[in-house]
Amino acid sequence: MKKDISTWKLFVRTIRVMGKRAPLYLISIVMMSALFAMFGVFSALLMKSVVDIAPTGDLHRLIITILVIVVGGALSLVFYRFFAICYNVEAKRVYGVIYQKVLDLEMKLPYAYYEKHHSGEIMSKVSFDLGRMGDIYGSRLRRTVTPFLQVVVYLVPMFALSWQLTLCLAAVNSVMLMVNMLLVEPMRRANRSLSEINSNMTQRLSDLLQGMEQARMYRAGAQTVQSYLKENDTYVIKSKRRNFFSACLESSSSGFELLCALVFLLIGVSFVQQGYTTLGALAAIYTLYGSFNVQFMELGKYFPQLIAYLSYAQNIFDFLEEEREPERMRELADGGNSDKAVSMRNIDFSYDSADELLLNHFCMDIENGECVAITGASGCGKTTVSKLLLGLYPIQNGSICIAGKSMSEVTRREWRQRIAYVPQEPFLFNGSIRENIRMGRLDASDEEIEEAAKLANAHEFILTLENGYDTAVGERGNRLSGGQRQRIAIARAILKQAPIMLLDEATSALDNESEQLVNDAMKKLQRQMTIIMIAHRPSTIALADRVVEM
Amino acid sequence: MKKRKHFFLRYMAKYSYLLIGGLLVTGLLSLAVVRGTSVISGAIDDMLSGKEIILGAFLPEFIALTLAGFVLAFLGQQFGGLMYSVKVIRDYRIYVVKKLYRIEYAYLKKENMATIINKINSDMAEAESFLQGSFPALLNNVAALVIYAAYVGSLNISLLLVLAVSYPVVFWISSILVKKIGALTGTYRAISDVITGIAQDALSGILVLRSFGLEDYFQKRMQQATKDLVDNEEKRTSISNIVMLVRKMVQWLPNIICAVYAVVLVSRGDLSLGGLLAFVVMLERLVGAFIGIPFIFVEAVGNIVCIRRIEEILNTPDEISGTETDGKTDNDVIISLKNISFGYMENNTVLDGIDLAVRTGENIALVGASGGGKSTLFNLLCAFYTPDSGSYQLYGREIIEWNAQAARERMALVSQNVFLFPTTVEENIAYGNPDATHEEIVEACKKAQIHDFIMTLPQGYQTVTGERGAILSGGQKQRISIARAILKNAPILLLDEPTSAVDVETEELIQKALENVMKGRTCITIAHRLSTIQNADCIYVMSGGKIVEHGTHAALLDANGVYAKLYASG
């Protein structure tokens, strides 16, 4: 059975994520189960002593027995608590570890991935699938292992009392387990498709929220709502499918319970009448079997759920196998001129290798300390040049060098350290202004931050804000105006102290006054570093020492 | 304060027939189990008293009970929990999304998007598991409890009394402890919001993150957040385990009392040994159901915390929208603002006593430094926000009397942040008018000077734009937004910074597109290039939330005030 092996492998993989902590976690589960079973045994003993002592009417003996049992039960609970804390903490810890891995990948995918995939799709993996995977560690696994261990614990005395009867009962229970196993695969498939639909719904929702202004201005906005509702309907249909299977599970659990009682009665009565077993043993088995059955039903219920949840883990593992952006660029043509700040030679590039080349033998040299403006009609590849300079896409041919070092000589992160980038959309992270500027260089002091803000002509407006540098910028910086965001983005880039500053249409979305402030800031920086501006506003282009027309 | 409404309850009530049906079925199931137990205990008693057992006597009944068990359990689960939950959640989801569509704009600006998505995604999953799991389980346990208790009562009524007195005490103690956990679940959710927020932030800002090499920084923030999660879990588990420890021990108390009492009853001959066995079995079931209740209760409390967070969205006011869909014009003033004041937050005035009148066919321009209130004014004109004081009349009718949708039907907005939905170019443009034919769309695109560009795309009008319109430049997006506006064919045009995000060549295209869209419409423009608005009928100069000057280009230059200075510097 190939499928079982893969499920098992998936399970092993899920556990191995925990690394060295796996034994502690697994021991905690076993100990929790054992101690809990022990508590159950004490409970059963309590009842057994009641039944045993009842005909004698010896209350004194009864009370002593009860006291002993109570102390035993309390002790097992105290130990249980210790392992329960270990278990829960480890479960959350591994959840954190996986979250970190997913985040790590989320940040390091090849850039093209972000442009191809909807962020809602990625976020759904992160918040939905990962949450379910976390549930495996947090509850699902224990819910399966605990009844399994307890079933074993109960089986031993039952066999000792009457192996024939126990065997028959176990057979009925096995049939039930097989029925449940049959439901595992359809449940798993149903869950997978539910998670897909959930991801679609997240995308539609995120579209609606991001495009709310448009959605409200146009009557067609209702369409966005409709497309969410359509996914919702699909979700309902798939839910119904899954529900049918879970109802089957429930039915087999309850039905088999009664069936077992029937089998017990039939066999028990005939065994006693034929003298195979005593009535006392029958009573004891009956009590034990009650507890056994409860646990067995739990197992029948939670085992398929665990398998279903493993499919969420599968989604996460699949995601984690996505290719990362390679650390280094592969070697192409030989290096450029070492006394140039930037040297781009014979670059061929297109976003899709099947497409026509967007850049064909593109060459550009920039001197140290020069301020160059790159301009040209839209779609001619200006922004592409900046993306290539940042090493976001692999070039098909040619070479890019900064200060004589080609891209393949250093890691991408070292490469990017030399470029301070100001994007067209000045994205700010959720947090304070200070935090956002500090992202330019994490070890910068507050004074350096203010210095950078002054250079970027941002200091003054920051001080007029209610909390100054500690003002929260809101999601994507939406509490600030475009010009304010842009100047903070420039301050962030200045703070980086990179030899090259790259501005991608940094002033294009600004009003005159903000553009003026930004241009003033750029003037202050000229000669201190190499500046590459992708621009088309005449006032911005006027700043440049040289204009490259594309 | 306005009373909170409970929307979830409303939907729960709507489909309660399913729930009740499911409960009845589950009740029948419990009866079947009870009946089965009593058959067995009767048989044991018979054996003890030395009677011959005739299997045939109770076999048919028992087989019938078993078959009923299969069917009832299936039906109970299918209707009581699953169908019920699917229907309620479907309706609730629809309601929530529709609510988001008409919720007051301020809420969307105030809340983090990740929080909203998380609320709807994972809290909705919790609501689902409330309906599928904890809620029906709670009801079923109570129903089972009643039936089992009745059976114990039929064995011996004083035994039931002892049970009835000793258990509620335990229940009371448990419920106090349960409350504490509910509070801690809240913090767990808050921490998990922080974690999702970090992941969302990293994703949205990937370009900046990557170019600044912030991977480690974000990883560190995530480590801190997950550490908080673990710490919180440690605290939560140690509390909840003490709860469990105390509860388990306390639970034994009634067991012991009942057991001792049962022994006394047997020794007095008031209870048969078979009866005792049946009692022992029933006690286990009964206690199981009883113990389950606080457990499920904890789960339900956790679920309800999440449902409450969704209810929070639903209890946020809608944007103000009246019922009127038509103006009452007795003159040609389309828009009239009188003494409008507004601030996004209290004690923060963004607009301060704005007066403005726009007549049919006029071309109005707003100029001034950023932060002067121009964009805010647009937000008010589009009825995204309502003024704190003053009067805004659209076609002679107060804006709050207007149906917001109808009012917006009269306006086309070309804003600076154009959002393209991840669908085809054609669908994105058809957004302006869902009834438009393909020919009309092409016509609008030609007027917006974007048709030629669209034809160069690999699949032309059927090309899918990326999530943030990744394959289109700012200028192209702007022209698509102009095409939308042309297609919408509204009498009023609101233009926000139309000539800013483009190169010279594109600027000409956009200028041409704008001329086309402005033709025959009343226009209000937020302008930065003073060169483009010299023909405006009236220019309003805004500063510090006030209109400091207004008049034609020539008049303002003559006045030699703020505008003249702006003009000189630009």
Side-chain angles (χ1 to χ4, degrees), chain A residues 106 214 217 257 475 508 536, chain B residues 113 199 285 419 488 500 502:
Chain A
E106 180 196 307
Q214 273 91 335
M217 281 313 289
E257 189 191 357
E475 192 182 353
S508 64
H536 39 67
Chain B
M113 210 170 83
R285 286 181 170 277
F419 182 82
K488 184 171 178 184
S500 50
V502 288

Side-chain angles (χ1 to χ4, degrees), chain A residues 209-227:
Chain A
L209 289 171
Q210 287 191 56
M212 189 57 95
E213 189 180 291
Q214 273 91 335
R216 290 207 178 164
M217 281 313 289
Y218 294 103
R219 191 150 48 94
Q223 280 174 1
T224 320
V225 175
Q226 284 308 325
S227 61

Side-chain angles (χ1 to χ4, degrees), chain B residues 105-265:
Chain B
Y105 211 70
Y107 177 84
L108 297 170
K109 287 287 156 199
K110 194 177 67 197
E111 283 283 324
N112 190 309
M113 210 170 83
T115 313
I116 301 181
I117 292 182
N118 205 15
K119 266 185 190 168
I120 293 172
N121 249 359
S122 66
D123 291 353
M124 200 59 97
E126 292 279 336
E128 209 171 351
S129 74
F130 174 73
L131 291 179
Q132 283 181 3
S134 50
F135 181 61
L138 204 58
L139 295 179
N140 288 339
N141 273 26
V142 171
L145 199 65
V146 171
I147 290 166
Y148 297 147
Y151 179 63
V152 170
S154 76
L155 286 173
N156 186 301
I157 193 76
S158 62
L159 204 51
L160 178 65
L161 280 178
V162 172
L163 265 179
V165 173
S166 50
Y167 270 103
V169 179
V170 179
F171 194 75
W172 177 69
I173 295 173
S174 304
S175 69
I176 295 174
L177 299 165
V178 159
K179 275 190 192 136
K180 279 195 157 179
I181 303 173
L184 281 164
T185 315
T187 47
Y188 163 69
R189 282 283 146 193
I191 294 173
S192 124
D193 274 352
V194 170
I195 290 179
T196 323
I198 294 172
Q200 172 84 60
D201 228 13
L203 198 59
S204 319
I206 187 70
L207 184 58
V208 173
L209 183 149
R210 188 160 285 191
S211 65
F212 281 86
L214 294 170
E215 290 90 346
D216 295 342
Y217 173 75
F218 269 83
Q219 200 55 263
K220 230 183 341 199
R221 275 177 56 186
M222 182 58 91
Q223 272 161 14
Q224 184 56 46
T226 51
K227 187 175 168 296
D228 289 346
L229 186 72
V230 172
D231 290 348
N232 179 64
E233 182 67 11
E234 190 161 4
K235 214 169 73 193
R236 192 186 72 88
T237 324
S238 34
I239 294 177
S240 71
N241 270 292
I242 288 180
V243 172
M244 197 200 77
L245 197 144
V246 172
R247 199 171 52 200
K248 284 260 172 200
M249 291 318 293
V250 175
Q251 268 159 11
W252 269 13
L253 213 61
N255 272 23
I256 292 165
I257 294 169
C258 289
V260 172
Y261 185 68
V263 170
V264 171
L265 283 178

Side-chain angles (χ1 to χ4, degrees), chain B residues 356-420:
Chain B
L356 196 146
V358 183
R359 289 167 199 283
T360 310
E362 267 189 330
N363 183 2
I364 300 292
L366 302 173
V367 299
S370 64
K374 300 184 304 277
S375 304
T376 306
L377 192 58
F378 263 33
N379 279 337
L380 291 192
L381 287 177
C382 294
F384 289 145
Y385 296 89
T386 37
D388 296 336
S389 68
S391 136
Y392 164 21
Q393 292 188 340
L394 181 69
Y395 286 96
R397 190 180 291 286
E398 280 297 325
I399 192 69
I400 47 170
E401 294 171 12
W402 275 90
N403 172 280
Q405 202 71 45
R408 288 176 191 146
E409 271 300 298
R410 320 253 156 165
M411 300 177 227
L413 172 71
V414 177
S415 75
Q416 50 178 329
N417 50 348
V418 183
F419 182 82
L420 296 184

Side-chain angles (χ1 to χ4, degrees), chain B residues 20-37:
Chain B
I20 292 166
L23 267 183
L24 286 177
V25 172
T26 324
L28 286 175
L29 183 65
S30 301
L31 280 178
V33 171
V34 166
R35 181 68 202 146
T37 311

